Amino acid sequence: MNSDQWQIERCVALEGGCPNALTGLEDLAGQLDTVVRDSGWAECVKAEPTDRAHRLHNRLRVALAACPNACTQSQIRDIGVIASSRPDRVPASCAGCGQCAVACREGAITMEDSLPKLDGGRCLGCGQCGKACPQKAMEMGELRFRVLVGGRLGRHPVWAMELPAMVGRAQVASVIAQLL
């Protein structure tokens, strides 16, 4: 979704091309487009002197990622939103096959006494452990979103800073509205 004053980029998951996607983002992209439109951002940019008003780098850039791989470059945009799903618990129906540990590329899951043990500090929230479980025993927590702000490229690149708390899908738009 684009305008002269803002751009909302979405990852390839929306085109059905990503096996890592945790969620679709169409509804969220539409909500954020409305939030930016209603925020007064366009009026702020138009108030700039005419030689600066429509420069590409004055455009607000928002990137949405459907998984923690964040291939939409959420870390280098003004605002980034990244979907995340962490394992919540392992119920008794777990067969102890270890497929969740094999699927975890971060080494956040180890097997102890034939049961998976999660190291929350290493978990990125990619959800691959839940997808890999043949018994569907790995219970995943609520889908949450990381919100990042202030990233940019150029002569002096800066990685975006992550806000301290992840938010649910229903809160993403209000957090972005507060930022703007």
Side-chain angles (χ1 to χ4, degrees):
M1 301 186 165
N2 295 313
S3 86
D4 288 344
Q5 291 82 27
W6 70 87
Q7 177 180 14
I8 298 177
E9 301 170 280
R10 300 169 294 167
C11 68
V12 297
L14 296 175
E15 299 163 12
C18 181
N20 298 316
L22 297 171
T23 184
L25 297 170
E26 296 87 356
D27 62 324
L28 193 54
Q31 289 173 14
L32 296 184
D33 189 58
T34 301
V35 164
V36 174
R37 184 180 309 111
D38 295 346
S39 73
W41 182 265
E43 291 77 18
C44 179
V45 171
K46 288 177 184 175
E48 289 284 325
T50 54
D51 64 326
R52 295 180 55 200
H54 296 290
R55 287 185 185 167
L56 185 59
H57 62 271
N58 285 350
R59 180 185 291 181
L60 176 70
R61 292 183 172 222
V62 179
L64 305 177
C67 76
N69 288 335
C71 48
T72 59
Q73 302 183 19
S74 301
Q75 298 89 351
I76 57 171
R77 297 296 181 232
D78 298 306
I79 299 172
V81 178
I82 303 172
S84 178
S85 180
R86 293 175 173 254
D88 202 19
R89 69 182 197 92
V90 180
S93 61
C94 176
C97 68
Q99 289 301 308
C100 54
V102 171
C104 182
R105 294 173 36 195
E106 305 306 316
I109 299 177
T110 55
M111 298 301 290
E112 289 185 11
D113 299 325
S114 297
L115 289 176
K117 180 180 178 188
L118 177 69
D119 178 352
R122 296 185 77 155
C123 179
L124 294 180
C126 69
Q128 293 300 311
C129 56
K131 291 179 182 179
C133 181
Q135 286 81 30
K136 304 299 179 208
M138 182 73 70
E139 290 185 10
M140 303 305 288
E142 175 190 0
L143 184 68
R144 308 290 287 171
F145 291 87
R146 296 169 40 210
V147 178
L148 297 86
V149 295
R152 68 166 186 239
L153 287 178
R155 181 178 281 175
H156 303 284
V158 175
W159 287 110
M161 294 178 53
E162 187 172 340
L163 297 182
M166 291 197 295
V167 297
R169 182 180 223 101
Q171 291 81 36
V172 173
S174 65
V175 168
I176 303 301
Q178 290 175 16
L179 287 170
L180 294 175

mmCIF file of all heavy atoms in Angstrom, residues 96-147:
data_model
loop_
_atom_site.group_PDB
_atom_site.id
_atom_site.type_symbol
_atom_site.label_atom_id
_atom_site.label_comp_id
_atom_site.label_asym_id
_atom_site.label_seq_id
_atom_site.Cartn_x
_atom_site.Cartn_y
_atom_site.Cartn_z
ATOM 1 N N GLY A 96 7.864 -37.642 22.414
ATOM 2 C CA GLY A 96 9.306 -37.541 22.641
ATOM 3 C C GLY A 96 10.138 -37.866 21.421
ATOM 4 O O GLY A 96 11.285 -38.302 21.557
ATOM 5 N N CYS A 97 9.603 -37.635 20.233
ATOM 6 C CA CYS A 97 10.321 -37.985 18.999
ATOM 7 C C CYS A 97 11.499 -37.053 18.717
ATOM 8 O O CYS A 97 12.418 -37.407 17.995
ATOM 9 C CB CYS A 97 9.368 -37.992 17.811
ATOM 10 S SG CYS A 97 8.737 -36.352 17.347
ATOM 11 N N GLY A 98 11.468 -35.842 19.247
ATOM 12 C CA GLY A 98 12.573 -34.907 19.061
ATOM 13 C C GLY A 98 12.536 -34.105 17.769
ATOM 14 O O GLY A 98 13.476 -33.362 17.482
ATOM 15 N N GLN A 99 11.470 -34.238 16.984
ATOM 16 C CA GLN A 99 11.391 -33.495 15.727
ATOM 17 C C GLN A 99 11.371 -31.980 15.959
ATOM 18 O O GLN A 99 11.889 -31.219 15.150
ATOM 19 C CB GLN A 99 10.160 -33.925 14.915
ATOM 20 C CG GLN A 99 10.280 -35.314 14.340
ATOM 21 C CD GLN A 99 11.484 -35.429 13.425
ATOM 22 O OE1 GLN A 99 11.682 -34.642 12.506
ATOM 23 N NE2 GLN A 99 12.332 -36.410 13.702
ATOM 24 N N CYS A 100 10.808 -31.550 17.080
ATOM 25 C CA CYS A 100 10.795 -30.121 17.401
ATOM 26 C C CYS A 100 12.223 -29.603 17.611
ATOM 27 O O CYS A 100 12.577 -28.522 17.155
ATOM 28 C CB CYS A 100 9.944 -29.839 18.633
ATOM 29 S SG CYS A 100 10.397 -30.804 20.099
ATOM 30 N N ALA A 101 13.059 -30.397 18.280
ATOM 31 C CA ALA A 101 14.450 -30.001 18.514
ATOM 32 C C ALA A 101 15.226 -29.968 17.208
ATOM 33 O O ALA A 101 16.065 -29.083 16.996
ATOM 34 C CB ALA A 101 15.109 -30.953 19.513
ATOM 35 N N VAL A 102 14.950 -30.905 16.313
ATOM 36 C CA VAL A 102 15.616 -30.937 15.013
ATOM 37 C C VAL A 102 15.216 -29.709 14.192
ATOM 38 O O VAL A 102 16.049 -29.097 13.520
ATOM 39 C CB VAL A 102 15.264 -32.240 14.247
ATOM 40 C CG1 VAL A 102 15.771 -32.193 12.817
ATOM 41 C CG2 VAL A 102 15.818 -33.452 14.983
ATOM 42 N N ALA A 103 13.947 -29.326 14.263
ATOM 43 C CA ALA A 103 13.444 -28.192 13.474
ATOM 44 C C ALA A 103 13.950 -26.842 13.976
ATOM 45 O O ALA A 103 13.994 -25.881 13.211
ATOM 46 C CB ALA A 103 11.910 -28.196 13.473
ATOM 47 N N CYS A 104 14.336 -26.764 15.242
ATOM 48 C CA CYS A 104 14.753 -25.485 15.825
ATOM 49 C C CYS A 104 16.176 -25.149 15.416
ATOM 50 O O CYS A 104 17.145 -25.716 15.943
ATOM 51 C CB CYS A 104 14.619 -25.515 17.346
ATOM 52 S SG CYS A 104 15.068 -23.930 18.081
ATOM 53 N N ARG A 105 16.318 -24.203 14.498
ATOM 54 C CA ARG A 105 17.642 -23.804 14.001
ATOM 55 C C ARG A 105 18.403 -22.949 15.005
ATOM 56 O O ARG A 105 19.585 -22.699 14.828
ATOM 57 C CB ARG A 105 17.470 -23.051 12.685
ATOM 58 C CG ARG A 105 16.941 -23.960 11.598
ATOM 59 C CD ARG A 105 16.593 -23.272 10.307
ATOM 60 N NE ARG A 105 17.446 -22.183 9.944
ATOM 61 C CZ ARG A 105 17.138 -21.288 9.022
ATOM 62 N NH1 ARG A 105 16.001 -21.377 8.374
ATOM 63 N NH2 ARG A 105 17.965 -20.314 8.733
ATOM 64 N N GLU A 106 17.734 -22.492 16.053
ATOM 65 C CA GLU A 106 18.382 -21.653 17.059
ATOM 66 C C GLU A 106 18.920 -22.465 18.234
ATOM 67 O O GLU A 106 19.562 -21.915 19.115
ATOM 68 C CB GLU A 106 17.400 -20.592 17.579
ATOM 69 C CG GLU A 106 16.792 -19.738 16.502
ATOM 70 C CD GLU A 106 17.824 -19.080 15.603
ATOM 71 O OE1 GLU A 106 18.835 -18.565 16.124
ATOM 72 O OE2 GLU A 106 17.631 -19.100 14.372
ATOM 73 N N GLY A 107 18.622 -23.758 18.277
ATOM 74 C CA GLY A 107 19.051 -24.594 19.387
ATOM 75 C C GLY A 107 18.316 -24.266 20.676
ATOM 76 O O GLY A 107 18.834 -24.490 21.774
ATOM 77 N N ALA A 108 17.113 -23.739 20.547
ATOM 78 C CA ALA A 108 16.328 -23.354 21.722
ATOM 79 C C ALA A 108 15.603 -24.533 22.351
ATOM 80 O O ALA A 108 15.094 -24.422 23.453
ATOM 81 C CB ALA A 108 15.316 -22.270 21.348
ATOM 82 N N ILE A 109 15.561 -25.671 21.653
ATOM 83 C CA ILE A 109 14.891 -26.856 22.194
ATOM 84 C C ILE A 109 15.905 -27.984 22.295
ATOM 85 O O ILE A 109 16.587 -28.316 21.330
ATOM 86 C CB ILE A 109 13.706 -27.287 21.307
ATOM 87 C CG1 ILE A 109 12.654 -26.173 21.243
ATOM 88 C CG2 ILE A 109 13.079 -28.574 21.833
ATOM 89 C CD1 ILE A 109 11.479 -26.472 20.343
ATOM 90 N N THR A 110 15.990 -28.555 23.474
ATOM 91 C CA THR A 110 16.809 -29.738 23.709
ATOM 92 C C THR A 110 15.898 -30.819 24.278
ATOM 93 O O THR A 110 14.836 -30.526 24.831
ATOM 94 C CB THR A 110 17.957 -29.446 24.700
ATOM 95 O OG1 THR A 110 17.406 -28.911 25.902
ATOM 96 C CG2 THR A 110 18.942 -28.441 24.103
ATOM 97 N N MET A 111 16.332 -32.053 24.160
ATOM 98 C CA MET A 111 15.550 -33.167 24.687
ATOM 99 C C MET A 111 16.141 -33.599 26.021
ATOM 100 O O MET A 111 17.338 -33.855 26.121
ATOM 101 C CB MET A 111 15.539 -34.343 23.707
ATOM 102 C CG MET A 111 14.899 -34.028 22.354
ATOM 103 S SD MET A 111 13.177 -33.498 22.448
ATOM 104 C CE MET A 111 12.374 -35.018 22.919
ATOM 105 N N GLU A 112 15.301 -33.645 27.043
ATOM 106 C CA GLU A 112 15.697 -34.121 28.366
ATOM 107 C C GLU A 112 14.659 -35.120 28.844
ATOM 108 O O GLU A 112 13.467 -34.795 28.903
ATOM 109 C CB GLU A 112 15.804 -32.959 29.358
ATOM 110 C CG GLU A 112 16.982 -32.055 29.103
ATOM 111 C CD GLU A 112 17.138 -30.992 30.180
ATOM 112 O OE1 GLU A 112 16.470 -31.077 31.238
ATOM 113 O OE2 GLU A 112 17.915 -30.060 29.938
ATOM 114 N N ASP A 113 15.109 -36.325 29.148
ATOM 115 C CA ASP A 113 14.204 -37.394 29.576
ATOM 116 C C ASP A 113 13.079 -37.605 28.566
ATOM 117 O O ASP A 113 11.915 -37.737 28.915
ATOM 118 C CB ASP A 113 13.611 -37.097 30.963
ATOM 119 C CG ASP A 113 14.678 -36.995 32.041
ATOM 120 O OD1 ASP A 113 15.669 -37.746 31.951
ATOM 121 O OD2 ASP A 113 14.519 -36.156 32.944
ATOM 122 N N SER A 114 13.444 -37.601 27.293
ATOM 123 C CA SER A 114 12.516 -37.808 26.172
ATOM 124 C C SER A 114 11.422 -36.753 26.073
ATOM 125 O O SER A 114 10.374 -36.986 25.478
ATOM 126 C CB SER A 114 11.874 -39.199 26.239
ATOM 127 O OG SER A 114 12.874 -40.186 26.110
ATOM 128 N N LEU A 115 11.657 -35.570 26.635
ATOM 129 C CA LEU A 115 10.703 -34.468 26.501
ATOM 130 C C LEU A 115 11.458 -33.209 26.074
ATOM 131 O O LEU A 115 12.591 -32.985 26.497
ATOM 132 C CB LEU A 115 9.973 -34.202 27.820
ATOM 133 C CG LEU A 115 8.959 -35.244 28.255
ATOM 134 C CD1 LEU A 115 8.397 -34.902 29.627
ATOM 135 C CD2 LEU A 115 7.824 -35.349 27.240
ATOM 136 N N PRO A 116 10.834 -32.383 25.244
ATOM 137 C CA PRO A 116 11.495 -31.154 24.824
ATOM 138 C C PRO A 116 11.581 -30.138 25.961
ATOM 139 O O PRO A 116 10.638 -29.975 26.732
ATOM 140 C CB PRO A 116 10.616 -30.632 23.685
ATOM 141 C CG PRO A 116 9.346 -31.380 23.755
ATOM 142 C CD PRO A 116 9.554 -32.592 24.588
ATOM 143 N N LYS A 117 12.722 -29.488 26.044
ATOM 144 C CA LYS A 117 12.911 -28.417 27.022
ATOM 145 C C LYS A 117 13.269 -27.160 26.240
ATOM 146 O O LYS A 117 14.181 -27.163 25.420
ATOM 147 C CB LYS A 117 14.026 -28.771 28.002
ATOM 148 C CG LYS A 117 14.235 -27.682 29.034
ATOM 149 C CD LYS A 117 15.328 -28.036 30.002
ATOM 150 C CE LYS A 117 15.501 -26.875 30.976
ATOM 151 N NZ LYS A 117 16.672 -27.067 31.821
ATOM 152 N N LEU A 118 12.548 -26.078 26.517
ATOM 153 C CA LEU A 118 12.715 -24.822 25.779
ATOM 154 C C LEU A 118 13.615 -23.860 26.536
ATOM 155 O O LEU A 118 13.435 -23.628 27.728
ATOM 156 C CB LEU A 118 11.350 -24.161 25.555
ATOM 157 C CG LEU A 118 11.367 -22.800 24.854
ATOM 158 C CD1 LEU A 118 11.778 -22.961 23.394
ATOM 159 C CD2 LEU A 118 10.022 -22.139 24.944
ATOM 160 N N ASP A 119 14.567 -23.282 25.806
ATOM 161 C CA ASP A 119 15.389 -22.188 26.316
ATOM 162 C C ASP A 119 14.794 -20.906 25.732
ATOM 163 O O ASP A 119 15.061 -20.545 24.587
ATOM 164 C CB ASP A 119 16.839 -22.365 25.882
ATOM 165 C CG ASP A 119 17.758 -21.231 26.323
ATOM 166 O OD1 ASP A 119 17.251 -20.212 26.844
ATOM 167 O OD2 ASP A 119 18.982 -21.370 26.155
ATOM 168 N N GLY A 120 13.965 -20.219 26.520
ATOM 169 C CA GLY A 120 13.250 -19.036 26.043
ATOM 170 C C GLY A 120 14.161 -17.923 25.574
ATOM 171 O O GLY A 120 13.785 -17.119 24.722
ATOM 172 N N GLY A 121 15.377 -17.852 26.082
ATOM 173 C CA GLY A 121 16.319 -16.825 25.663
ATOM 174 C C GLY A 121 16.840 -17.019 24.255
ATOM 175 O O GLY A 121 17.298 -16.074 23.617
ATOM 176 N N ARG A 122 16.782 -18.241 23.758
ATOM 177 C CA ARG A 122 17.268 -18.528 22.405
ATOM 178 C C ARG A 122 16.140 -18.583 21.380
ATOM 179 O O ARG A 122 16.380 -18.515 20.188
ATOM 180 C CB ARG A 122 18.027 -19.843 22.395
ATOM 181 C CG ARG A 122 19.286 -19.795 23.262
ATOM 182 C CD ARG A 122 20.050 -21.057 23.136
ATOM 183 N NE ARG A 122 20.752 -20.994 21.855
ATOM 184 C CZ ARG A 122 21.852 -21.661 21.592
ATOM 185 N NH1 ARG A 122 22.367 -22.462 22.494
ATOM 186 N NH2 ARG A 122 22.441 -21.567 20.416
ATOM 187 N N CYS A 123 14.910 -18.730 21.853
ATOM 188 C CA CYS A 123 13.755 -18.882 20.956
ATOM 189 C C CYS A 123 13.459 -17.569 20.241
ATOM 190 O O CYS A 123 13.310 -16.522 20.870
ATOM 191 C CB CYS A 123 12.533 -19.326 21.757
ATOM 192 S SG CYS A 123 11.045 -19.519 20.749
ATOM 193 N N LEU A 124 13.358 -17.630 18.910
ATOM 194 C CA LEU A 124 13.005 -16.455 18.111
ATOM 195 C C LEU A 124 11.509 -16.355 17.846
ATOM 196 O O LEU A 124 11.047 -15.367 17.313
ATOM 197 C CB LEU A 124 13.736 -16.477 16.767
ATOM 198 C CG LEU A 124 15.245 -16.346 16.815
ATOM 199 C CD1 LEU A 124 15.815 -16.385 15.406
ATOM 200 C CD2 LEU A 124 15.658 -15.083 17.521
ATOM 201 N N GLY A 125 10.778 -17.398 18.167
ATOM 202 C CA GLY A 125 9.332 -17.385 17.937
ATOM 203 C C GLY A 125 8.953 -17.698 16.508
ATOM 204 O O GLY A 125 7.929 -17.226 16.024
ATOM 205 N N CYS A 126 9.752 -18.521 15.827
ATOM 206 C CA CYS A 126 9.480 -18.824 14.415
ATOM 207 C C CYS A 126 8.338 -19.823 14.236
ATOM 208 O O CYS A 126 7.768 -19.922 13.155
ATOM 209 C CB CYS A 126 10.733 -19.332 13.718
ATOM 210 S SG CYS A 126 11.282 -20.967 14.265
ATOM 211 N N GLY A 127 8.018 -20.593 15.273
ATOM 212 C CA GLY A 127 6.923 -21.549 15.193
ATOM 213 C C GLY A 127 7.248 -22.834 14.465
ATOM 214 O O GLY A 127 6.380 -23.694 14.303
ATOM 215 N N GLN A 128 8.491 -23.019 14.024
ATOM 216 C CA GLN A 128 8.852 -24.217 13.278
ATOM 217 C C GLN A 128 8.732 -25.484 14.117
ATOM 218 O O GLN A 128 8.435 -26.550 13.604
ATOM 219 C CB GLN A 128 10.273 -24.088 12.707
ATOM 220 C CG GLN A 128 10.395 -23.026 11.639
ATOM 221 C CD GLN A 128 9.499 -23.284 10.456
ATOM 222 O OE1 GLN A 128 9.456 -24.381 9.907
ATOM 223 N NE2 GLN A 128 8.745 -22.269 10.060
ATOM 224 N N CYS A 129 8.949 -25.358 15.429
ATOM 225 C CA CYS A 129 8.837 -26.527 16.310
ATOM 226 C C CYS A 129 7.411 -27.071 16.305
ATOM 227 O O CYS A 129 7.200 -28.283 16.239
ATOM 228 C CB CYS A 129 9.290 -26.184 17.729
ATOM 229 S SG CYS A 129 8.424 -24.792 18.476
ATOM 230 N N GLY A 130 6.438 -26.185 16.357
ATOM 231 C CA GLY A 130 5.044 -26.608 16.334
ATOM 232 C C GLY A 130 4.654 -27.228 15.003
ATOM 233 O O GLY A 130 3.905 -28.207 14.957
ATOM 234 N N LYS A 131 5.182 -26.682 13.914
ATOM 235 C CA LYS A 131 4.889 -27.229 12.588
ATOM 236 C C LYS A 131 5.521 -28.603 12.400
ATOM 237 O O LYS A 131 4.994 -29.445 11.684
ATOM 238 C CB LYS A 131 5.386 -26.282 11.500
ATOM 239 C CG LYS A 131 4.608 -24.995 11.403
ATOM 240 C CD LYS A 131 5.183 -24.105 10.318
ATOM 241 C CE LYS A 131 4.441 -22.789 10.229
ATOM 242 N NZ LYS A 131 4.995 -21.909 9.191
ATOM 243 N N ALA A 132 6.681 -28.828 13.036
ATOM 244 C CA ALA A 132 7.416 -30.083 12.854
ATOM 245 C C ALA A 132 6.859 -31.233 13.665
ATOM 246 O O ALA A 132 7.136 -32.394 13.363
ATOM 247 C CB ALA A 132 8.884 -29.873 13.218
ATOM 248 N N CYS A 133 6.080 -30.968 14.686
ATOM 249 C CA CYS A 133 5.589 -32.015 15.590
ATOM 250 C C CYS A 133 4.564 -32.907 14.886
ATOM 251 O O CYS A 133 3.475 -32.447 14.535
ATOM 252 C CB CYS A 133 4.961 -31.389 16.834
ATOM 253 S SG CYS A 133 4.357 -32.620 18.002
ATOM 254 N N PRO A 134 4.894 -34.190 14.662
ATOM 255 C CA PRO A 134 3.950 -35.063 13.956
ATOM 256 C C PRO A 134 2.680 -35.353 14.749
ATOM 257 O O PRO A 134 1.639 -35.631 14.169
ATOM 258 C CB PRO A 134 4.751 -36.357 13.719
ATOM 259 C CG PRO A 134 5.897 -36.299 14.640
ATOM 260 C CD PRO A 134 6.149 -34.861 14.979
ATOM 261 N N GLN A 135 2.741 -35.263 16.084
ATOM 262 C CA GLN A 135 1.560 -35.492 16.915
ATOM 263 C C GLN A 135 0.784 -34.200 17.175
ATOM 264 O O GLN A 135 -0.239 -34.227 17.843
ATOM 265 C CB GLN A 135 1.951 -36.096 18.274
ATOM 266 C CG GLN A 135 2.359 -37.539 18.234
ATOM 267 C CD GLN A 135 3.814 -37.690 17.788
ATOM 268 O OE1 GLN A 135 4.637 -36.821 18.019
ATOM 269 N NE2 GLN A 135 4.112 -38.786 17.119
ATOM 270 N N LYS A 136 1.318 -33.083 16.707
ATOM 271 C CA LYS A 136 0.738 -31.757 16.972
ATOM 272 C C LYS A 136 0.603 -31.536 18.478
ATOM 273 O O LYS A 136 -0.349 -30.927 18.962
ATOM 274 C CB LYS A 136 -0.620 -31.571 16.278
ATOM 275 C CG LYS A 136 -0.578 -31.783 14.782
ATOM 276 C CD LYS A 136 0.343 -30.811 14.120
ATOM 277 C CE LYS A 136 0.391 -31.048 12.620
ATOM 278 N NZ LYS A 136 1.634 -30.651 12.027
ATOM 279 N N ALA A 137 1.579 -32.060 19.223
ATOM 280 C CA ALA A 137 1.549 -31.963 20.675
ATOM 281 C C ALA A 137 2.099 -30.640 21.185
ATOM 282 O O ALA A 137 1.716 -30.188 22.260
ATOM 283 C CB ALA A 137 2.347 -33.119 21.295
ATOM 284 N N MET A 138 2.997 -30.029 20.437
ATOM 285 C CA MET A 138 3.600 -28.765 20.874
ATOM 286 C C MET A 138 2.525 -27.679 20.825
ATOM 287 O O MET A 138 2.027 -27.331 19.763
ATOM 288 C CB MET A 138 4.768 -28.389 19.968
ATOM 289 C CG MET A 138 5.487 -27.127 20.343
ATOM 290 S SD MET A 138 6.512 -27.235 21.802
ATOM 291 C CE MET A 138 7.840 -28.268 21.239
ATOM 292 N N GLU A 139 2.138 -27.180 21.983
ATOM 293 C CA GLU A 139 1.118 -26.138 22.037
ATOM 294 C C GLU A 139 1.794 -24.779 21.892
ATOM 295 O O GLU A 139 2.673 -24.430 22.670
ATOM 296 C CB GLU A 139 0.338 -26.227 23.350
ATOM 297 C CG GLU A 139 -0.544 -27.449 23.422
ATOM 298 C CD GLU A 139 -1.409 -27.475 24.662
ATOM 299 O OE1 GLU A 139 -1.482 -26.464 25.379
ATOM 300 O OE2 GLU A 139 -2.021 -28.535 24.898
ATOM 301 N N MET A 140 1.356 -24.049 20.889
ATOM 302 C CA MET A 140 1.939 -22.744 20.600
ATOM 303 C C MET A 140 1.132 -21.658 21.297
ATOM 304 O O MET A 140 -0.084 -21.744 21.402
ATOM 305 C CB MET A 140 1.968 -22.496 19.086
ATOM 306 C CG MET A 140 2.715 -23.571 18.311
ATOM 307 S SD MET A 140 4.406 -23.846 18.867
ATOM 308 C CE MET A 140 5.187 -22.362 18.285
ATOM 309 N N GLY A 141 1.843 -20.642 21.763
ATOM 310 C CA GLY A 141 1.192 -19.514 22.410
ATOM 311 C C GLY A 141 0.484 -18.632 21.389
ATOM 312 O O GLY A 141 0.556 -18.860 20.184
ATOM 313 N N GLU A 142 -0.177 -17.628 21.895
ATOM 314 C CA GLU A 142 -0.890 -16.676 21.046
ATOM 315 C C GLU A 142 0.080 -15.990 20.084
ATOM 316 O O GLU A 142 1.211 -15.676 20.448
ATOM 317 C CB GLU A 142 -1.551 -15.618 21.936
ATOM 318 C CG GLU A 142 -2.217 -14.492 21.175
ATOM 319 C CD GLU A 142 -2.654 -13.348 22.086
ATOM 320 O OE1 GLU A 142 -2.450 -13.418 23.301
ATOM 321 O OE2 GLU A 142 -3.183 -12.368 21.533
ATOM 322 N N LEU A 143 -0.353 -15.777 18.867
ATOM 323 C CA LEU A 143 0.447 -15.043 17.897
ATOM 324 C C LEU A 143 0.679 -13.630 18.425
ATOM 325 O O LEU A 143 -0.270 -12.947 18.819
ATOM 326 C CB LEU A 143 -0.276 -14.994 16.547
ATOM 327 C CG LEU A 143 0.499 -14.342 15.414
ATOM 328 C CD1 LEU A 143 1.699 -15.186 15.016
ATOM 329 C CD2 LEU A 143 -0.406 -14.135 14.213
ATOM 330 N N ARG A 144 1.924 -13.218 18.482
ATOM 331 C CA ARG A 144 2.291 -11.894 18.987
ATOM 332 C C ARG A 144 3.101 -11.180 17.910
ATOM 333 O O ARG A 144 3.601 -11.796 16.975
ATOM 334 C CB ARG A 144 3.133 -12.017 20.254
ATOM 335 C CG ARG A 144 2.538 -12.888 21.343
ATOM 336 C CD ARG A 144 1.346 -12.308 22.006
ATOM 337 N NE ARG A 144 1.783 -11.212 22.873
ATOM 338 C CZ ARG A 144 0.980 -10.371 23.469
ATOM 339 N NH1 ARG A 144 -0.312 -10.474 23.306
ATOM 340 N NH2 ARG A 144 1.433 -9.420 24.235
ATOM 341 N N PHE A 145 3.249 -9.875 18.091
ATOM 342 C CA PHE A 145 3.992 -9.072 17.121
ATOM 343 C C PHE A 145 5.041 -8.226 17.827
ATOM 344 O O PHE A 145 4.752 -7.593 18.840
ATOM 345 C CB PHE A 145 3.041 -8.166 16.332
ATOM 346 C CG PHE A 145 2.141 -8.920 15.411
ATOM 347 C CD1 PHE A 145 0.936 -9.429 15.860
ATOM 348 C CD2 PHE A 145 2.499 -9.145 14.090
ATOM 349 C CE1 PHE A 145 0.103 -10.153 15.018
ATOM 350 C CE2 PHE A 145 1.682 -9.857 13.241
ATOM 351 C CZ PHE A 145 0.475 -10.352 13.713
ATOM 352 N N ARG A 146 6.244 -8.227 17.271
ATOM 353 C CA ARG A 146 7.297 -7.333 17.721
ATOM 354 C C ARG A 146 7.156 -6.049 16.906
ATOM 355 O O ARG A 146 6.905 -6.099 15.707
ATOM 356 C CB ARG A 146 8.669 -7.957 17.463
ATOM 357 C CG ARG A 146 8.901 -9.217 18.249
ATOM 358 C CD ARG A 146 10.128 -10.007 17.828
ATOM 359 N NE ARG A 146 11.281 -9.200 17.509
ATOM 360 C CZ ARG A 146 12.202 -9.554 16.614
ATOM 361 N NH1 ARG A 146 12.101 -10.687 15.960
ATOM 362 N NH2 ARG A 146 13.236 -8.785 16.386
ATOM 363 N N VAL A 147 7.326 -4.904 17.555
ATOM 364 C CA VAL A 147 7.255 -3.625 16.860
ATOM 365 C C VAL A 147 8.624 -2.954 16.990
ATOM 366 O O VAL A 147 9.154 -2.826 18.082
ATOM 367 C CB VAL A 147 6.149 -2.713 17.438
ATOM 368 C CG1 VAL A 147 6.125 -1.377 16.724
ATOM 369 C CG2 VAL A 147 4.789 -3.400 17.332
#
